[in-house]
């Protein structure tokens, strides 16, 4: 049990779900001196290397079970209560298949947390959603804060239902939805980006130069430090924010595979590498072969045939409303094309740690 001194008792409290995940772990470590943190997670504090401090209360619980959350509620009440809830816990995979866990974690657990928040009379509920919950916009258009969560695959559908719950409960207490771009760190820790970097920097003279289609597949990326600043900004100005609003965490620029390839190979090798652009048909065939061989050997890979459908598609966002409403925007030094220099340094200087951190991320997915 954590014992609090008088100074700690004066700090505002936050309930953080998904605290053992990539975003949750980074958030907890970054803000542990500023808040009393009640961290709900599946894995232990030691397992995910979160330091033991008197501001951190670590609670292992399945948040899809109401009885578990009642115990969390009782513990929080005994230790000073909370002012905010940051709901980061969520389930996703790359199979694109229906899975009951989507309903249990992304919908049922969200409703349970909203009920709990109502009981705790919190100041604001912050819900972590994703720009991936929206369909790719037509060419020349962008996803905005007003765009519907209209994606039609299982993860997107579950996030849409989660967002609807947030809007419903916002009639009882303030709520904010934050749709995230692809979140990465200086160690990468974003599986799709890691797969690309691992492939391009493999040293294979032929396959390491391959780009899918015209190399124009593109998504927006946000550095974990910028995301943490956005969450803190919402908390800092919570009293001035509307009862309900949706925000987008990401830059205005979506970065293509070709741009990533040219930047990271230049940093890694010290010279420009010319990519080989492989037609979509052959990429689809290769993904089918990879997926089938993984099934035969029992070693599943993240590469799936459905991914061929997104070749050369661009996920474009326009977070202008968020920038104005929160007086926040990603710092230039954390934009992914600049940050690839730091990622490359980690790859070359700490290859074991690099692979370990990223393989763990893939394993969790």
């Amino acid at each position: 049990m954590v014992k609090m001194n008088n100074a700690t008792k004066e700090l505002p409290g936050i309930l953080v779900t998904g605290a053992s995940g990539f975003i949750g772990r980074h958030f907890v470590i970054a803000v542990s001196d500023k808040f009393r943190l009640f961290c709900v997670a599946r894995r232990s504090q030691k397992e995910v290397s979160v330091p033991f401090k008197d501001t951190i209360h670590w609670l292992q619980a399945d948040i899809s079970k109401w009885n578990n959350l009642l115990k969390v509620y009782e513990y929080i009440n005994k230790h000073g209560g909370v002012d905010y809830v940051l709901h980061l816990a969520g389930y996703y995979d790359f199979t694109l298949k229906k899975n009951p866990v989507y309903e249990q974690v992304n919908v049922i657990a969200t409703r349970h947390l909203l009920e709990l928040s109502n009981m705790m009379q919190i100041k604001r509920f912050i819900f972590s959603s994703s720009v991936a919950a929206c369909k790719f916009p037509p060419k020349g258009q962008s996803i905005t804060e007003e765009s519907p969560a209209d994606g039609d695959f299982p993860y997107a559908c579950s996030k849409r239902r989660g967002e609807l719950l947030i809007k419903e409960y916002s009639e009882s207490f303030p709520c904010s939805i934050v749709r995230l771009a692809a979140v990465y760190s200086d160690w990468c820790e974003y599986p799709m980006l890691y797969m690309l970097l691992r492939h391009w920097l493999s040293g294979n003279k032929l396959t390491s130069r391959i780009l899918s289609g015209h190399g124009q597949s593109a998504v927006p990326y946000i550095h974990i430090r910028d995301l943490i600043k956005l969450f803190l900004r919402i908390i800092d100005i919570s009293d001035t924010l509307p009862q309900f609003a949706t925000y987008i965490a990401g830059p205005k620029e979506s970065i293509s595979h070709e741009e990533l390839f040219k930047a990271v190979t230049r940093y890694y090798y010290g010279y420009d590498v010319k990519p080989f652009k492989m037609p979509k048909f052959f990429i689809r065939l290769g993904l089918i072969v990879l997926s089938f061989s993984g099934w035969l050997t029992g070693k599943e890979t993240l590469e799936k045939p459905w991914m061929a459908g997104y070749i050369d598609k661009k996920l474009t966002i326009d977070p202008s409303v968020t920038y104005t409403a929160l007086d926040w925007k990603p710092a230039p030094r954390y934009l992914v094309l600049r940050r690839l220099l730091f990622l490359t340094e980690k790859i070359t200087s700490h290859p074991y740690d690099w692979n370990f951190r990223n393989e763990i991320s893939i394993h969790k997915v």
Side-chain angles (χ1 to χ4, degrees):
M1 181 178 292
V2 176
K3 293 184 179 181
M4 294 185 292
N5 57 41
N6 290 333
T8 300
K9 290 178 181 178
E10 297 299 320
L11 296 175
I14 306 179
L15 169 59
V16 182
T17 69
S20 61
F22 164 52
I23 298 174
R25 176 181 172 275
H26 278 272
F27 178 83
V28 168
I29 293 172
V31 308
S32 59
D33 292 330
K34 301 176 182 178
F35 299 95
R36 290 177 296 109
L37 297 162
F38 296 86
C39 307
V40 181
R42 288 292 190 98
R43 294 182 291 161
S44 71
Q45 187 172 353
K46 182 179 180 180
E47 186 180 357
V48 296
S49 301
V50 170
F52 290 83
K53 304 179 70 170
D54 59 1
T55 56
I56 299 175
H57 302 254
W58 198 269
L59 308 167
Q60 285 184 258
D62 179 354
I63 60 174
S64 68
K65 309 297 182 186
W66 177 244
N67 288 339
N68 288 355
L69 280 181
L70 283 178
K71 293 177 182 178
V72 170
Y73 171 69
E74 292 170 0
Y75 182 90
I76 289 173
N77 275 349
K78 289 179 181 178
H79 294 82
V82 295
D83 303 285
Y84 306 95
V85 172
L86 177 58
H87 183 23
L88 298 173
Y91 174 79
Y92 69 99
D93 62 37
F94 288 111
T95 65
L96 227 61
K97 296 177 181 177
K98 291 182 179 180
N99 189 318
V101 183
Y102 283 117
E103 175 75 13
Q104 294 165 8
V105 176
N106 297 357
V107 182
I108 293 174
T110 299
R111 182 182 289 277
H112 286 169
L113 278 163
L114 288 163
E115 287 289 341
L116 193 73
S117 299
N118 206 15
M119 293 164 58
M120 295 187 296
Q121 299 182 326
I122 64 167
K123 294 180 180 179
R124 185 167 297 273
F125 189 102
I126 304 170
F127 178 64
S128 171
S129 187
S130 172
V131 293
C134 306
K135 288 182 178 178
F136 276 58
K139 188 175 181 179
Q141 298 183 29
S142 301
I143 293 170
T144 70
E145 293 82 357
E146 298 298 321
S147 298
D150 55 359
D152 54 7
F153 56 99
Y155 172 74
C157 292
S158 67
K159 280 298 181 183
R160 175 170 63 248
R161 293 178 62 193
E163 289 192 10
L164 290 173
L165 285 171
I166 305 303
K167 189 172 184 179
E168 175 188 334
Y169 277 81
S170 68
E171 296 179 5
S172 301
F173 49 85
C175 295
S176 300
I177 294 171
V178 181
R179 290 178 177 167
L180 311 183
V183 188
Y184 76 102
S185 75
D186 285 351
W187 292 94
C188 189
E189 298 180 273
Y190 177 62
M192 297 302 290
L193 179 58
Y194 169 63
M195 288 194 312
L196 291 172
L197 300 185
R198 182 178 63 180
H199 175 67
W200 294 332
L201 305 181
S202 65
N204 187 296
K205 292 183 178 180
L206 177 62
T207 60
S208 64
R209 294 172 48 228
I210 291 176
L211 285 179
S212 302
H214 298 289
Q216 296 308 301
S217 306
V219 299
Y221 296 87
I222 182 169
H223 196 282
I224 185 65
R225 293 178 191 169
D226 274 332
L227 179 59
I228 290 170
K229 289 179 181 177
L230 182 144
F231 287 144
L232 290 176
R233 183 61 179 165
I234 291 175
I235 292 169
D236 287 343
I237 63 171
S238 178
D239 292 343
T240 68
L241 295 178
Q243 186 80 0
F244 172 78
T246 298
Y247 305 106
I248 294 179
K252 290 184 178 180
E253 300 82 10
S254 291
I255 306 302
S256 72
H257 285 187
E258 183 172 25
E259 290 173 296
L260 290 171
F261 174 88
K262 288 182 177 180
V264 77
T265 52
R266 188 184 309 117
Y267 289 141
Y268 188 77
Y269 294 112
Y271 56 85
D272 292 331
V273 177
K274 186 176 181 180
F276 173 73
K277 297 176 181 178
M278 182 171 285
K280 186 174 179 179
F281 169 80
F282 294 106
I283 294 294
R284 185 186 298 274
L285 185 62
L287 289 172
I288 291 172
V289 171
L290 273 175
S291 184
F292 182 68
S293 63
W295 176 78
L296 280 179
T297 60
K299 297 180 180 178
E300 289 289 327
T301 65
L302 291 189
E303 295 90 348
K304 304 296 179 185
W306 62 263
M307 293 177 179
Y310 289 88
I311 291 175
D312 290 330
K313 287 189 176 181
K314 190 170 186 176
L315 183 61
T316 310
I317 61 175
D318 181 2
S320 299
V321 171
T322 297
Y323 293 178
T324 301
L326 301 181
D327 190 22
W328 167 94
K329 64 173 57 177
R333 69 180 180 277
Y334 290 132
L335 296 178
V336 69
L337 290 181
R338 288 195 187 186
R339 216 63 196 174
L340 280 173
L341 177 61
F342 293 86
L343 273 71
T344 305
E345 191 277 331
K346 298 288 188 187
I347 296 170
T348 54
S349 301
H350 308 282
Y352 175 80
D353 288 342
W354 167 270
N355 286 313
F356 178 77
R357 287 171 182 253
N358 286 285
E359 290 298 332
I360 287 293
S361 297
I362 288 180
H363 177 71
K364 286 191 293 183
V365 174

